[in-house]
Amino acid sequence: TTTTTGALVAVLLSFLDVARAQGGCCFWPQSADRCASCESYATDSNYCASSRAHCEDDCGHVWCDDGAPGDDDGDDVSAGDDEDASWGPEWVSGTYTTGYWDCCKPSCAWNGKGSVDQPVRSCAAETGETLSDVNAASVCDGGIAASCADHQPFDYAEGVSMGFAAAAVGGVSGLDGDSNCGQCYELRFTDDEFSWGGGAHADIVGRAHVVQVTNIGYDVSGDHSFDLQIPGAGQGIFDTGCPLQFPGFASGDFDCDNNYGGCDDAAGCARLPEDLRRGCEWRYSASYRWLAEGGRTNNPFVRFRRVKCP
C-alpha cells in the first residue's frame, strides 16, 4: 500500500510560518506576550496577515509590530502553563477524549456534511491515492474508500501538536453532529481525572493539540468530546476495514488485539503497517505519554475552543 503522506499535512500548515523579526499576525504560542516569543506568523498570502483588523477581529490572534510585545499586559500563558491561564467564555471545560483508528471512510467525507467547499478526503484502500468519488463506499462496508494514512497526529512546535478527530456528539460538549465536519478546535490537556484515575499525564497538562473534525460519533454520551485519530489506539466495533486496506496484516495487528484502548506501549507499534507507525509512536512520545506512569495518560480531559483552521 502506498500513501499520499504529507498532502493533508501541507494543507494544515499552509498558513503557518517560522517566527521572524518582522511584525505580523502571530498564531502561536497562545500566550499573553506572544509577540516576544512568537513561533509562527501568518504567511503574507494568508487572510489573517493582511491587516491588524483581520488578524485580531476576524481570526482571533495577535498583531505584532516588529516583534514587539502587544497591548496585552497579562501573565504569560504559553503551552504548558495550564494552571495560570485565564480562560475566556469561548472555552468548553470538563470533557474527556479517547482515541481510535479503524481505517473506515470518514463520515465527513460524504457530501452535505458541514459548511465546507468540499468534503474531507478519503483514500483508495488499494493505492492510498485520494479519491475523487465522494460516493465511494467505505472499506468497512466492503467498498474501496478508507481513511487516509496521513490523518495521523504530528508535532508542530514546542508544546503544540496537530491531528484529526471524530466529534463525539450527544453529550454535554456542545458538538452537534454533521455541522461540525471540517471545523477545527484547539484542545488543551488538563489535570482532571476520572473517579477510577486516568486522565492526562502531568507532562502534557497545558499542551495544545489542534484537530480538524473528520468524523462524527453519534453513539456517545456524557462528558466525551473528541475521539482522536491515532493509529494503534483501537478499532472499536469496526475491525474489518484495516486488514482490507493493508493486506497481509491481521485485524489484531492494528490495535494489539485490544479493540478498545489499543496497544499498551510503543513496542506494539511494530505490529502495524509501516505507513501507520509514526502516528502510533506519537502516542507514547512526550507529546501524549500514553500509560507512561501511574495509568496516565489514559483518555485525557481537555478544555477546548473552536479556532480558524490552519
Side-chain angles (χ1 to χ4, degrees), residues 12 20 64 76 119-120 122 135 146 160 198 215 223 243 275 278 289-290 293 297:
L12 269 175
R20 59 191 180 191
C64 301
D76 183 17
V120 166
S122 64
N135 296 313
V160 181
N215 217 340
D223 299 331
D275 288 344
R278 176 183 55 81
R289 302 275 281 160
W290 180 258
E293 183 180 15
T297 294

Side-chain angles (χ1 to χ4, degrees), residues 20 40 59 90 120 131 170 180-181 186 216 219 243 266 306:
R20 59 191 180 191
S40 62
C59 301
E90 73 273 20
V120 166
L131 286 171
N180 299 125
C181 282
E186 176 189 356
I216 304 296
D219 56 345
R306 187 179 173 186

Side-chain angles (χ1 to χ4, degrees), residues 201 203-204 283-292 296-297:
H201 189 283
D203 290 352
I204 72 165
R283 194 184 190 207
Y284 308 96
S285 71
S287 299
Y288 199 67
R289 302 275 281 160
W290 180 258
L291 298 182
R296 297 188 178 196
T297 294

Side-chain angles (χ1 to χ4, degrees), residues 7 11 47 59 72 76 109 111 136 168 193 227 252 256 265 268 300 308:
V11 174
Y47 172 84
C59 301
D72 191 341
D76 183 17
N111 268 329
E193 62 180 86
D227 205 5
C256 298
D265 53 48
K308 186 176 180 67

Side-chain angles (χ1 to χ4, degrees), residues 113-176:
K113 302 291 188 78
S115 179
V116 295
D117 295 331
Q118 59 186 15
V120 166
R121 291 167 60 239
S122 64
C123 287
E126 184 176 349
T127 66
E129 298 296 325
T130 299
L131 286 171
S132 58
D133 182 7
V134 297
N135 296 313
S138 172
V139 68
C140 294
D141 295 321
I144 64 169
S147 181
C148 298
D150 58 5
H151 280 196
Q152 303 171 53
F154 61 96
D155 289 327
Y156 167 66
E158 182 68 28
V160 181
S161 53
M162 293 184 174
F164 303 84
V169 303
V172 300
S173 66
L175 302 170
D176 57 13

